[in-house]
Amino acid sequence: MNVKIEENEILKKFWEIEDEPNTMAEKILTPEEQECEDIFYKTTKRDAFGRYIMELPFRSNHHEGNYGDTRNIGIKRLLSLERRLAKYPNQRKDYVQVLWEYVTLGHMEEIPLSSRFGSDKVWLPHHAVIRPDKSTTKTRVVFNASDRSANGLSLNDTLMVGPTLQAELRHIIMRWRLHPICLTADIIKMYRQVKVAEKHVDYQRIVWREDPASDIKDFRILRVTFGTACAPYLAVKSLQQLAVDDGHFFPLAADRVKTDFYMDDLMTGCQSETEAIQLYEQFNSLLKRGGFTLQKWASNRKGRLETMKENEENDKDIKEDEVTKILGLTWNRRTDEFDYTVKLESETVPETKRKIIAEICRLYDPLGCTAPCLIKAKVFIQKLWLCGYEWDIKLRDEHLREWELYREEKIGKLPHTSVGSQFR
């Protein structure tokens, strides 16, 4: 039920969280990034309801018919998935419900037998990612567009990723904290609000059946698909293009669409309560013109939530819990502080490099507020590397004692740590 990730890649990302990028240099697009942008501007359309319709940005060396037999691979992955889900009935029920939601919402359609075969069609294996900590969608279906056929080629190999369109995470968070009144929200099913052009939907086929005893059926996904290399670019680009196309109707929200979003998460704010209501109304109105809907609005001012609730037909879109998860951070709206928590699995001290690094990486801190605690851990990781430890080799006694001391003094005290979030 989990995706295996290379350990070295995890460690690299852990280090890069605190690596400050050079924001002074002007962003220059690579030839491929520029080509991706050109495809967007030449081919993107909007339907009668304002929703964006996009073509997949294929690389120039893409040729039809090179993918090989991807349907049989998809069937093998489906059978394997069914065997795993059979052990967890509740997860299987959720998985079926999510895929049926694709169908009922018009995000996926069944393919008739007469259209099953062709020269350039791709079937994507799919699997479940379970997130029990999520308040809304706990089961997410991920489509593996990186899975290669017998020809050694995957769909993602032929798709362009596109340029980075949004600011660095830490800069978005720090700009958000400059406002005395903070507002947060997120877009419901952001990727699935963007349509894929009809000529390219057959690159997003899957095999699936609700009951393992029934026949396997073929479907094609009609919206931007989570798991394709270009999905983040297409979703963010459509959101920003909406601000360009219709932003003149909502000037207060238009510029913030380009600066205050990190993927589907909105982190914005203002100076007065009157402006807060205007932002709330303009963001909702602007995004609806492109088929997007904001949910889980939250603020550090209780009065703002009450006013929003009076204006909101569906109260579930207003989040009243004191603690809010935003971009991986835990924000306590009542105290206006970030809470940092590390949940250690047991009292047993890890004895290998793999287990130690797994515990250190549990603390997500893009702002560097806990750097005084983490710096010793990073020095210790470097020491393990210099000593030549393999991932699963037991540590020598002197290194194990050093880790035990750090674990008791630093990580053991973090579950109750709060850091004031005011930067203004």
Side-chain angles (χ1 to χ4, degrees):
M1 303 306 298
N2 297 290
V3 180
K4 178 175 173 57
I5 303 176
E6 185 65 33
E7 292 86 352
N8 287 325
E9 187 65 24
I10 294 177
L11 192 62
K12 177 183 175 184
K13 291 182 179 179
F14 174 69
W15 237 268
E16 289 175 345
I17 285 177
E18 295 185 2
D19 181 29
E20 186 67 20
N22 181 10
T23 57
M24 299 301 292
E26 183 180 354
K27 175 66 175 177
I28 300 177
L29 299 182
T30 66
E32 181 174 293
E33 289 174 341
Q34 186 59 59
E35 183 182 359
C36 189
E37 288 274 272
D38 292 341
I39 291 175
F40 170 83
Y41 289 117
K42 291 177 182 178
T43 64
T44 299
K45 302 175 182 178
R46 296 178 73 174
D47 65 13
F49 301 99
R51 198 180 302 275
Y52 285 88
I53 307 171
M54 299 183 171
E55 293 187 8
L56 299 179
F58 284 103
R59 290 193 168 100
S60 55
N61 59 357
H62 164 250
H63 299 291
E64 294 187 1
N66 287 349
Y67 296 103
D69 184 5
T70 55
R71 186 173 186 272
N72 281 331
I73 293 177
I75 292 175
K76 291 179 182 178
R77 299 286 194 277
L78 175 65
L79 297 178
S80 176
L81 175 67
E82 288 178 342
R83 288 193 294 269
R84 290 199 302 271
L85 290 178
K87 302 175 184 177
Y88 307 96
N90 289 336
Q91 292 180 6
R92 179 186 173 279
K93 180 181 178 182
D94 291 343
Y95 197 81
V96 170
Q97 183 176 348
V98 170
L99 283 176
W100 267 121
E101 182 189 64
Y102 269 78
V103 176
T104 55
L105 293 179
H107 300 168
M108 182 171 74
E109 66 180 10
E110 185 176 351
I111 303 171
L113 184 61
S114 58
S115 303
R116 177 182 297 177
F117 304 101
S119 60
D120 203 30
K121 296 174 173 56
V122 178
W123 279 261
L124 306 177
H126 49 94
H127 61 269
V129 174
I130 310 299
R131 292 289 304 275
D133 58 312
K134 288 287 186 180
S135 60
T136 51
T137 307
K138 298 182 183 298
T139 300
R140 171 173 286 179
V141 179
V142 177
F143 303 93
N144 188 3
S146 295
D147 194 82
R148 290 184 170 88
S149 68
N151 291 1
L153 190 68
S154 72
L155 178 63
N156 277 348
D157 290 333
T158 60
L159 289 174
M160 291 183 278
V161 177
T164 300
L165 300 174
Q166 294 175 323
E168 291 289 328
L169 172 60
R170 78 188 65 203
H171 296 162
I172 293 176
I173 296 174
M174 293 182 71
R175 182 168 55 246
W176 170 63
R177 293 308 314 157
L178 293 175
H179 303 291
I181 298 178
C182 297
L183 300 171
T184 66
D186 65 54
I187 300 174
I188 299 175
K189 300 177 178 63
M190 180 182 183
Y191 286 12
R192 289 160 58 184
Q193 307 313 320
V194 183
K195 290 183 176 181
V196 172
E198 186 177 357
K199 63 185 291 187
H200 286 161
V201 293
D202 281 318
Y203 291 98
Q204 300 185 154
R205 292 188 169 201
I206 68 167
V207 289
W208 177 60
R209 58 185 174 185
E210 181 179 2
D211 185 353
S214 61
D215 295 332
I216 293 175
K217 298 180 180 179
D218 295 83
F219 296 83
R220 56 187 165 209
I221 303 167
L222 308 177
R223 303 297 176 92
V224 168
T225 301
F226 189 81
T228 55
C230 58
Y233 166 78
L234 295 179
V236 172
K237 188 66 177 180
S238 64
L239 182 65
Q240 294 186 352
Q241 188 61 38
L242 176 63
V244 174
D245 294 342
D246 296 348
H248 56 281
F249 295 113
F250 311 98
L252 195 61
D255 289 340
R256 294 167 186 258
V257 167
K258 303 173 186 176
T259 61
D260 293 0
F261 270 99
Y262 191 81
M263 289 307 301
D264 59 344
D265 287 303
L266 171 65
M267 302 182 75
T268 191
C270 54
Q271 300 295 315
S272 68
E273 295 188 355
T274 300
E275 189 181 5
I277 294 300
Q278 291 175 343
L279 274 174
Y280 170 76
E281 293 173 347
Q282 287 199 20
F283 266 111
N284 282 328
S285 299
L286 174 58
L287 266 62
K288 283 182 180 179
R289 294 175 73 98
F292 300 103
T293 302
L294 285 166
Q295 66 172 352
K296 295 190 291 187
W297 281 92
S299 174
N300 58 350
R301 296 288 182 92
K302 187 177 181 181
R304 293 307 89 229
L305 287 179
E306 292 173 350
T307 306
M308 292 176 187
K309 196 171 181 179
E310 292 174 2
N311 298 336
E312 189 62 49
E313 296 179 1
N314 194 344
D315 292 348
K316 73 179 179 63
D317 293 333
I318 306 297
K319 187 174 179 63
E320 299 185 84
D321 299 338
E322 287 187 358
V323 176
T324 299
K325 294 284 287 187
I326 182 75
L327 292 177
L329 293 170
T330 302
W331 177 45
N332 189 313
R333 297 188 298 102
R334 182 180 60 81
T335 61
D336 212 3
E337 293 179 335
F338 293 130
D339 293 338
Y340 292 88
T341 302
V342 177
K343 296 180 180 179
L344 303 180
E345 291 185 353
S346 66
E347 297 181 358
T348 304
V349 178
E351 297 180 341
T352 67
K353 184 173 73 171
R354 183 191 305 277
K355 292 181 180 179
I356 287 174
I357 291 175
E359 285 206 337
I360 293 173
C361 291
R362 286 177 185 273
L363 183 59
Y364 178 70
D365 179 28
L367 294 177
C369 296
T370 60
C373 292
L374 284 182
I375 188 64
K376 289 188 67 175
K378 292 188 174 184
V379 171
F380 185 67
I381 291 174
Q382 291 176 332
K383 183 181 294 186
L384 298 183
W385 242 267
L386 292 174
C387 292
Y389 281 109
E390 297 294 333
W391 282 101
D392 297 306
I393 298 298
K394 183 178 178 179
L395 269 60
R396 294 192 290 271
D397 290 343
E398 64 268 24
H399 294 139
L400 187 57
R401 284 194 296 270
E402 183 178 352
W403 170 247
E404 288 175 352
L405 181 62
Y406 172 82
R407 192 175 191 265
E408 293 172 0
E409 290 184 349
K410 303 296 183 184
I411 296 184
K413 295 179 181 179
L414 279 173
H416 304 291
T417 298
S418 293
V419 180
S421 59
Q422 303 293 349
F423 288 94
R424 48 187 176 276

